[in-house]
Amino acid sequence: MLRLVRTAIALALLMALAALAAWIADQPGRIRIAWFDHIVEAPAPLLALGVVLLVVAAFILTWIVAWAVALPQRRRLKRQAKGYANFAAGMVAVAAGEADRAAKLAAKAQKQLDDPALARLLAAHAAQLGGRNEEAQRAFAALNQDPGTAFLGTRGLLADARSRGDRAAALQLAARASALRPASPFAAEAELQLLVEAGDWAGARKRLDLARRKKAVSREAASALEARLDLAEAASALQTGDARMARQHAEQAAKLLPEHPVPPLLLARAAEKESGHHAAREAAAKQLRAAFARRPSEALANAWLGLQQDVAPAGLLARAEAFVAERRPEVESRLLLAAAALQAHEFSAARAALDQLGSRGGSWAARLQAKLAEEGDGDIAAADRWRESIRSELWQCGHCGSGHADWHLLCPDCGSFDSLDPTRLGEAMPLAAAPRPLLMLEKR
């Protein structure tokens, strides 16, 4: 429809010009022009035609000059378009894992694009994909020098430092990324991860406060990480003998992580070290009982028994019965009663409970049998045989499967964050699919 309208307008203009030409041709008269000693005389229609031809010639000449002037710009834009197309194709090749094709397209894009930043970014990713780490590092370093791409360059150098295991350099680069973009979730998590790995709890808490103010992390994720930092600081305070500080951190963590198995454990250890603090012991015992009712484990049972060191044997057994009342028939409850009997030196009662369980008690029962053989019977050889049958520790990493005698915020073997859980009956658990993220913490 639009083409028809344009055609009709063009025909109308041609008809108007033809009519004007016919009208001028029909007009009589001549035009005489005197220029110094020269005289030009011509019919009026012919002179009008000459003027029209002169205007057309001037228009054509102007168009040619404009085309010649704009030719370099058009060539540059065409080259730029090819460069952007090669950059896009190169990023697709990177995503597809085609390192050689990506490198070739990066070289083409570098020649075609006026801004070298995009070509450098593509070249860096292509080199990284192809295992040419030094080349990738040079490309990221060049990006790092440009204010417009400094964050991208820092991010690439940070990834390279992490892959090389250079934590000192990685921490410096993470701090630079945070300085460039304080509100970046990537910068916040990268620096927090490195600070946590270094055991710098104070530095991690300071960086978390900045991330919270800049809204780089959600309120829920910040609270969850802060609670786990409280757990780590509580464990550190216990190691240095500051039971009061450990209790304060553990109490704060217990408020934010009501179902986590570690806060009751640390509260019990802190209360055990605080002599004369009866209220703290009672509060810790209450939390241990609730945690044991949710998910019974040997670690929680041992923590509760540690609080009962000064209790008389008869009173200890009665307290143990009350402690497991909610899960009395279960194997874990019977093992706790056997452990309480051992602690009270009621060896016959402990033996009867363990014999009744048979092979259902797992490694927890084997540890108790070894203690019974050594303390109740004085049979060191039998105790050693029982210890040889123990297959796991009290805590297991859900990512790598390694066993540990105590809880750590980071797995000592694989470094996974908050991945240690108490084993059930001291037996190994199925492994998790992936380590728990630092700032995207699911509920436990």
Side-chain angles (χ1 to χ4, degrees):
M1 184 63 182
L2 185 60
R3 183 176 294 180
L4 291 175
V5 172
R6 289 177 178 175
T7 303
I9 292 174
L11 289 175
L13 289 174
L14 289 174
M15 292 174 64
L17 289 174
L20 179 62
W23 179 80
I24 292 175
D26 289 342
Q27 303 304 314
R30 300 174 65 82
I31 296 176
R32 185 170 180 273
I33 300 175
W35 180 262
F36 294 102
D37 295 335
H38 302 282
I39 297 175
V40 177
E41 185 175 357
L46 183 61
L47 187 60
L49 179 61
V51 171
V52 171
L53 291 176
L54 183 63
V55 171
V56 171
F59 173 78
I60 293 174
L61 181 62
T62 303
W63 182 85
I64 292 173
V65 172
W67 180 85
V69 171
L71 182 60
Q73 177 70 6
R74 286 200 301 274
R75 286 180 176 176
R76 188 182 72 82
L77 292 176
K78 187 176 181 180
R79 187 180 70 251
Q80 288 280 94
K82 289 182 179 179
Y84 285 122
N86 284 327
F87 171 76
M91 294 304 291
V92 171
V94 168
E98 300 174 345
D100 293 338
R101 174 173 167 76
K104 291 178 182 178
L105 291 169
K108 290 182 179 179
Q110 196 162 13
K111 296 177 182 177
Q112 294 164 337
L113 293 173
D114 292 341
D115 184 1
L118 292 177
R120 285 173 182 165
L121 179 62
L122 177 57
H125 284 301
Q128 203 172 43
L129 183 64
R132 301 185 300 276
N133 295 329
E134 292 184 1
E135 183 181 340
Q137 193 172 9
R138 287 194 298 270
F140 282 125
L143 288 170
N144 193 30
Q145 299 303 315
D146 187 344
T149 58
F151 184 77
L152 287 175
T154 303
R155 184 167 181 166
L157 291 173
L158 173 57
D160 178 69
R162 291 301 302 266
S163 66
R164 290 185 285 106
D166 191 347
R167 289 188 176 179
L171 187 55
Q172 291 180 350
L173 289 165
R176 173 170 166 75
S178 296
L180 290 170
R181 293 189 184 176
S184 166
F186 165 79
E189 184 161 7
E191 190 172 9
L192 281 167
Q193 182 74 48
L194 289 162
L195 289 169
V196 168
E197 289 177 2
D200 186 358
W201 314 127
R205 194 179 291 276
K206 183 178 178 181
R207 183 62 183 90
L208 181 61
D209 290 339
L210 175 62
R212 186 188 282 114
R213 290 198 306 271
K214 296 294 183 179
K215 298 183 179 180
V217 298
S218 67
R219 183 180 302 177
E220 294 77 10
S223 296
L225 178 56
E226 187 175 25
R228 284 162 172 85
L229 291 176
D230 278 317
L231 292 179
E233 291 192 81
S236 298
L238 283 173
Q239 290 179 352
T240 58
D242 192 345
R244 177 175 168 276
M245 183 62 68
R247 176 169 54 83
Q248 291 176 352
H249 283 299
E251 286 175 347
Q252 186 64 26
K255 294 177 183 177
L256 296 173
L257 302 172
E259 297 186 3
H260 200 289
V262 177
L265 187 73
L266 296 178
L267 281 171
R269 292 179 182 175
E272 191 176 347
K273 290 180 179 293
E274 284 187 289
S275 59
H277 206 305
H278 181 73
R281 285 175 171 258
E282 291 299 322
K286 184 178 179 181
Q287 291 221 21
L288 283 171
R289 179 175 179 176
F292 193 87
R294 284 193 303 270
R295 184 180 178 183
S297 69
E298 186 178 0
L300 294 173
N302 291 342
W304 181 80
L305 288 170
L307 293 175
Q308 315 302 318
Q309 294 292 338
D310 299 331
V311 179
L316 175 58
L317 296 178
R319 287 191 178 191
E321 289 285 354
F323 186 81
V324 301
E326 297 181 31
R327 305 187 74 129
R328 182 65 178 82
E330 297 186 17
V331 174
E332 294 89 343
S333 298
R334 297 182 187 182
L335 285 169
L336 185 141
L337 293 174
L342 269 174
Q343 184 165 310
H345 290 174
E346 296 288 345
F347 299 120
S348 57
R351 193 185 311 278
L354 291 172
D355 290 345
Q356 187 178 10
L357 286 172
S359 60
R360 291 181 295 163
S363 294
W364 185 357
R367 272 186 278 270
L368 294 178
Q369 290 280 16
K371 185 176 181 180
L372 177 62
E374 184 173 352
E375 296 181 6
D377 302 333
D379 191 343
I380 303 299
D384 289 339
R385 286 194 298 272
W386 278 112
R387 291 190 180 100
E388 290 174 359
S389 67
I390 296 174
R391 295 186 294 275
S392 67
E393 297 287 352
L394 272 65
W395 298 84
Q396 182 191 352
C397 175
H399 177 54
C400 69
S402 60
H404 303 278
D406 203 355
W407 176 85
H408 304 272
L409 183 60
L410 298 174
C411 174
D413 284 6
C414 70
S416 296
F417 178 75
D418 193 26
S419 61
L420 268 62
D421 289 299
T423 54
R424 185 179 182 275
L425 299 177
E427 298 299 322
M429 302 175 295
L431 300 189
R436 183 173 289 118
L438 189 70
L439 287 174
M440 297 175 63
L441 301 167
E442 63 271 21
K443 292 183 179 180
R444 300 184 56 176

